[in-house]
Amino acid sequence: MSQQYNPFDNVVAAIKKAAAILEYSENDYTRLLHPEKELKVSLPIKMDNGEVKVFDGYRVQYSCTRGPAKGGIRYHQNVNIDEVKALAAWMAFKNAIADIPFGGGKGGITVNPKELSAGELERLTRRYTSSMSYMIGPDKDIPAPDVGTTPQVMGWIVDTYSMINRIYSPAVVTGKPLPLGGSQGRVEATGLGVFRTVLNILKKLDMDPKRVTVAVQGMGNVGSYSAKFMYEEGAEVVAVSNSSGAVYLKTGLNIPEIIEHIESGKKLCDYNAEGVEHITNEELLTLDVDVLIPAALENAINEDNVNDVKAKVIVEGANGPVTVAADDILSARGTYIVPDILANSGGVIVSYFEWIQNQQNYYWTLEEVNTKLLEKMDKNFEDLWTLSKEKNITLREAAYVIALERIAEAAKPRGIWP
Ligand code: GLU
């Protein structure tokens, strides 16, 4: 279903809206409607059974105006160039609103990583790294994990890049395993940032986090940590889902038990506990809850289901989970939506901290990382909220206004080369 929507359209619409609010002329932002560089590679891999399979790989550097490109790598069967372009553009705006000195990029391979053995995954990752090795680098373009990739995948990228260039280069990616120069707190950073964002918006709306009901779509890295932190705060997390299905319990699910169930390799749809009902992913999105956290893929909330969405607050854990049309309908109805580029920026903020630690070869404690992360999340949310009230615009519009202005302000003194 999500294939009907081109996520890149969402980006263009958001940029144009922000440019209109800022009263920019086309000359001020037209560059930002085009990715700076798009790489498409074919990746032949020898499978374990001797067969050769060819996979499509991509890397897009959307904008390097504010610094080197930065953004994750996605392994998923639906990866295509329009998706990677949209994800790369969102990174440029996310890094600008996060106020970290990076441009935006993203990469991906069209593959279902769950269908590969560890050896096949390693060969695919190394081949992909070598195909884009001239494009990435600590001061050029710094990948990180995204849907379907892990710290181990980052480890293989560090090794391949370091072997090709004959220089140990841990700063070429972030989200690495700790012994390779990863940062404390990086694994849970996106979920922690989403959680903090939920607390920040609830405070503004005078809602007690201990009394709210929450539904989380997606129990990958972002969704599971968001759900866990909400549960620990005392909220009632009534529903969670993943690609296998969704579970619901009116009085609140036992999130640590569900995470353990999933981590032990079992399917979420096979989870059972007293009173737990099995519902569909679609039903989860339309539950009557206070807070909905879409933390799966793009376009989850769209024209087809938006009229049934009842949540008062939506905090976007995923990138692009609400289409433009659905966003307009929800905003007109008074639903508060905290946009992806702010809400899920905790991951890339700690990636920035990891990159700094690598460059300095000096490592921080978990407490230092988390204190700095939460300070940034709070300040960025406050700026967004204030601007949205001041100008009477949505939080998404405010986010793009702040981000676009930062990118445009950096573009001006750089000028256009030659
Ligand atoms: N993939 C994550 C995102 O979408 C993290 C990117 C990064 O850390 O560079 O924000």
Side-chain angles (χ1 to χ4, degrees), residues 317-333:
N319 292 311
V322 179
T323 65
V324 188
D327 189 51
D328 288 343
I329 294 170
L330 288 167
S331 303
R333 213 203 276 164

Side-chain angles (χ1 to χ4, degrees), residues 59 70-74 87 91 94-95 102 105-106 142-147 174-175 186 190 317 319 344-352:
R59 183 77 192 167
K70 177 92 194 79
I73 290 172
R74 178 171 294 195
L87 290 165
M91 285 311 305
K94 190 185 301 186
N95 294 335
F102 292 128
K106 202 89 172 199
I142 308 119
D146 194 76
V147 176
T174 56
R186 176 62 185 85
T190 314
N319 292 311
N344 71 30
S345 62
V348 75
I349 289 174
V350 175
S351 276
Y352 168 49

Side-chain angles (χ1 to χ4, degrees), residues 119-387:
E120 290 165 345
L121 199 63
E122 177 174 353
R123 293 196 287 283
L124 181 61
T125 300
R126 288 186 184 279
R127 180 69 189 223
Y128 172 57
T129 307
S130 91
S131 297
M132 64 174 176
S133 62
Y134 67 92
M135 203 168 150
I136 60 172
D139 293 307
K140 283 193 200 169
D141 182 354
I142 308 119
D146 194 76
V147 176
T149 53
T150 57
Q152 172 60 80
V153 169
M154 299 305 116
W156 291 323
I157 298 178
V158 168
D159 185 64
T160 309
Y161 182 87
S162 298
M163 297 311 286
I164 289 174
N165 292 291
R166 294 168 187 269
I167 183 162
Y168 180 56
S169 307
V172 66
V173 293
T174 56
K176 300 175 287 287
L178 285 176
L180 260 189
S183 176
Q184 298 287 346
R186 176 62 185 85
V187 172
E188 63 272 36
T190 314
L192 182 59
V194 169
F195 165 65
R196 187 66 162 209
T197 304
V198 175
L199 295 190
N200 282 335
I201 180 120
L202 290 180
K203 203 193 264 174
K204 294 289 182 197
L205 302 177
D206 228 356
M207 289 164 79
D208 180 355
K210 295 188 177 9
R211 285 166 185 269
V212 295
T213 52
V214 184
V216 180
Q217 184 216 17
M219 282 295 272
N221 173 276
V222 181
S224 56
Y225 278 108
S226 305
K228 178 175 173 274
F229 292 129
M230 287 307 302
Y231 171 89
E232 285 170 357
E233 181 67 21
E236 267 168 27
V237 184
V238 296
V240 297
S241 70
N242 68 13
S243 51
S244 88
V247 288
Y248 172 78
L249 181 62
K250 200 172 175 228
T251 50
L253 294 160
N254 183 336
I255 297 300
E257 196 178 280
I258 292 178
I259 292 176
E260 220 183 283
H261 174 89
I262 297 172
E263 277 176 355
S264 72
K266 295 190 208 126
K267 286 194 164 158
L268 178 61
C269 62
D270 293 333
Y271 172 77
N272 282 305
E274 208 189 318
V276 168
E277 290 171 46
H278 292 259
I279 59 172
T280 63
N281 236 304
E282 273 300 303
E283 285 168 332
L284 178 141
L285 293 170
T286 59
L287 286 173
D288 192 1
V289 287
D290 297 308
V291 181
L292 173 63
I293 303 177
L297 297 170
E298 305 86 63
N299 306 326
I301 300 170
N302 53 58
E303 292 87 320
D304 297 335
N305 61 6
V306 63
N307 289 321
D308 299 321
V309 173
K310 298 174 198 75
K312 294 169 195 69
V313 175
I314 297 176
V315 176
E316 296 184 337
N319 292 311
V322 179
T323 65
V324 188
D327 189 51
D328 288 343
I329 294 170
L330 288 167
S331 303
R333 213 203 276 164
T335 307
Y336 284 92
I337 307 177
V338 188
D340 46 8
I341 58 171
L342 181 288
N344 71 30
S345 62
V348 75
I349 289 174
V350 175
S351 276
Y352 168 49
F353 297 159
E354 181 174 328
W355 181 79
I356 295 174
Q357 293 171 76
N358 295 153
Q359 307 273 24
Q360 298 184 336
N361 241 318
Y362 178 76
Y363 287 83
W364 309 352
T365 62
L366 178 62
E367 206 192 330
E368 277 175 279
V369 170
N370 282 346
T371 305
K372 287 190 168 78
L373 166 65
L374 297 179
E375 249 170 39
K376 253 193 176 307
M377 293 301 304
D378 291 351
K379 180 184 182 304
N380 297 346
F381 179 83
E382 200 56 42
D383 289 352
L384 194 72
W385 183 267
T386 307
L387 186 72

Side-chain angles (χ1 to χ4, degrees), residues 37-67:
K37 202 177 276 182
E38 292 173 45
L39 174 77
K40 153 86 207 313
V41 287
S42 296
L43 306 166
I45 302 303
K46 219 178 256 174
M47 306 302 280
D48 291 347
N49 64 4
E51 199 189 322
V52 174
K53 269 199 180 168
V54 183
F55 297 89
D56 290 336
Y58 306 92
R59 183 77 192 167
V60 172
Q61 293 176 351
Y62 199 85
S63 163
C64 296
T65 299
R66 297 182 66 258

